[in-house]
């Protein structure tokens, strides 16, 4: 179910969830861009992506999908692997999910601090959940996701095959169709890992 349904049934929840999603996605993409920039690839800076400004990171179609279908995506950060090398590419790919896990941990700490504030706990719980989902989902090793690029850096021969697939004209539609059709088992995986992470950080 997309976020758009909340707009009429619970406008406050819509605003909170939408804001948390936009900011979390922006931070995720900023982490990719910042890491690439620090490791010597000027490509993200050339495209204006080394910023926390959400407008620079949101993809119009991905945002629309988020509103209507309940899942979507931000604009991928352009990088040049030739400037980064194998391990640099791995760290750039991992930076996004790591940033979301760091937000989740910080949120868990804040939830303990504001334990007596019901509204704060509700908002922080949403932020925590969104960032755990973003981290886990992006670590799934299927093309176009960070997990695929991490796997490709660890296994270069597989990485070349994945890159060739991603270069195909209809690769995006194929991956989106796969995610949609496999949304139930993917959801189970995400929920299980989310529960494990929340227990680990004491929520």
């Amino acid at each position: 179910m997309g976020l758009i349904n909340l707009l009429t049934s619970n406008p406050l929840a819509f605003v909170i969830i939408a804001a948390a999603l936009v900011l979390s996605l922006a931070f995720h993409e900023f982490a990719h861009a910042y890491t690439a920039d620090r490791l010597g690839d000027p490509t993200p800076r050339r495209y204006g992506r080394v910023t926390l400004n959400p407008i620079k990171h949101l993809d119009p179609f991905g945002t629309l999908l988020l509103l209507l279908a309940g899942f979507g995506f931000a604009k991928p950060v352009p990088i040049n692997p030739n400037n980064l090398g194998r391990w640099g590419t791995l760290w750039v790919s991992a930076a996004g999910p790591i940033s979301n896990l760091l937000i989740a941990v910080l949120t868990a700490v804040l939830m303990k601090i504001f334990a007596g504030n019901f509204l704060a706990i509700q908002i922080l719980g949403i932020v925590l959940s969104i960032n755990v989902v973003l981290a886990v989902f992006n670590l799934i090793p299927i093309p176009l996701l960070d997990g695929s690029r991490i796997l490709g850096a660890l296994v270069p021969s597989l990485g070349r095959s994945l890159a060739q697939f991603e270069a195909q004209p209809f690769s995006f539609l194929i991956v989106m169709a796969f995610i949609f059709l496999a949304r139930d088992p993917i959801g189970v995986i995400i929920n299980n890992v989310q529960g494990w992470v929340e227990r680990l950080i004491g929520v």
Side-chain angles (χ1 to χ4, degrees):
M1 181 174 66
L3 283 179
I4 201 70
N5 296 303
L6 283 176
L7 191 55
T8 53
S9 63
N10 193 336
L12 179 60
F14 172 84
V15 171
I16 293 171
I17 295 172
L21 267 171
V22 167
L23 293 175
S24 299
L25 284 169
F27 199 83
H28 177 104
E29 297 304 330
F30 165 76
H32 286 310
Y34 178 80
T35 304
D37 186 65
R38 294 291 293 176
L39 292 177
D41 182 11
T43 311
R45 185 170 294 277
R46 192 161 60 241
Y47 283 87
R49 301 298 298 277
V50 189
T51 176
L52 285 168
N53 181 358
I55 296 174
K56 293 289 187 178
H57 299 297
L58 292 182
D59 180 274
F61 181 64
T63 304
L64 182 64
L65 268 181
L66 200 62
L67 291 171
L68 298 178
F71 71 92
F73 52 90
K75 194 185 304 179
V77 171
I79 63 169
N80 185 346
N82 294 326
N83 293 330
L84 296 165
R86 175 184 174 188
W87 299 112
T89 301
L90 184 149
W91 280 112
V92 171
S93 302
I98 289 173
S99 73
N100 292 124
L101 286 176
L102 289 175
I103 293 174
V105 171
L106 176 60
T107 304
V109 172
L110 291 174
M111 288 178 75
K112 291 183 180 298
I113 294 173
F114 294 99
N117 189 317
F118 177 76
L119 180 59
I121 291 298
Q122 293 299 305
I123 294 173
L124 290 169
I126 290 170
V127 174
L128 174 70
S129 180
I130 285 173
N131 279 278
V132 171
V133 169
L134 283 175
V136 174
F137 178 74
N138 277 283
L139 285 173
I140 297 174
I142 59 177
L144 303 179
L145 297 183
D146 297 326
S148 166
R149 296 186 173 95
I150 293 171
L151 181 61
L154 292 171
V155 187
S157 59
L158 181 58
R160 287 190 289 273
S161 298
L162 291 169
Q164 289 173 355
F165 171 80
E166 290 184 10
Q168 299 304 310
F170 298 105
S171 61
F172 172 78
L173 294 177
I174 293 172
V175 172
M176 286 296 102
F178 171 79
I179 291 173
F180 180 77
L181 293 173
R183 62 190 183 281
D184 289 338
I186 289 175
V188 170
I189 294 171
I190 289 174
N191 287 336
N192 287 337
V193 176
Q194 180 177 349
W196 179 81
V197 171
E198 290 179 354
R199 288 193 297 273
L200 182 67
I201 59 183
V203 175

